[in-house]
Amino acid sequence: NIPKPAIMKPVPLWTGKQLMSLCLPKVNLWKMANGAKDNDTIMSADDKIVKIVEGTLLTGNLDKSTMGSKAGGLIHIVWMECGPYETKLF
């Protein structure tokens, strides 16, 4: 399903988070991205805290540390929650 555009006028436009969410499997992830500070909050201007809920990217930027196959990375989480076939498709 294609989500509603974030911007409707003058032309319909989607955000990068909306487009990335179309590619994500139904997983949950909360992780601090590279460069995040200990005092960063979920609403920080740097957007360094990645939060994915049911395959929807809510906050954060997906960088190498977030996407990587190391423990806690998105690829690892997809493998653990969805299995090897879904990971291959992702």
Side-chain angles (χ1 to χ4, degrees), residues 3-87:
K4 283 187 169 183
I7 300 170
M8 297 298 286
K9 292 184 179 182
V11 294
L13 297 172
W14 289 264
T15 66
K17 286 180 176 44
Q18 286 179 304
L19 295 178
M20 189 62 196
S21 295
L22 291 174
C23 302
L24 292 172
K26 300 286 184 207
V27 295
N28 299 303
L29 175 70
W30 190 96
K31 185 176 173 81
M32 296 179 85
N34 274 345
K37 300 172 188 75
D38 289 337
N39 61 352
D40 278 348
T41 64
I42 197 77
M43 296 301 292
S44 67
D46 294 338
D47 215 15
K48 293 289 184 180
I49 298 178
V50 178
K51 185 174 182 183
I52 299 172
V53 177
E54 292 294 316
T56 302
L57 179 60
L58 299 177
T59 64
N61 296 318
L62 297 177
D63 59 9
K64 185 177 178 180
S65 70
T66 307
M67 293 290 291
S69 59
K70 289 184 179 178
L74 184 57
I75 294 173
H76 179 248
I77 297 297
V78 172
W79 181 277
M80 297 302 290
E81 289 188 13
C82 301
Y85 181 74
E86 192 71 30
T87 305

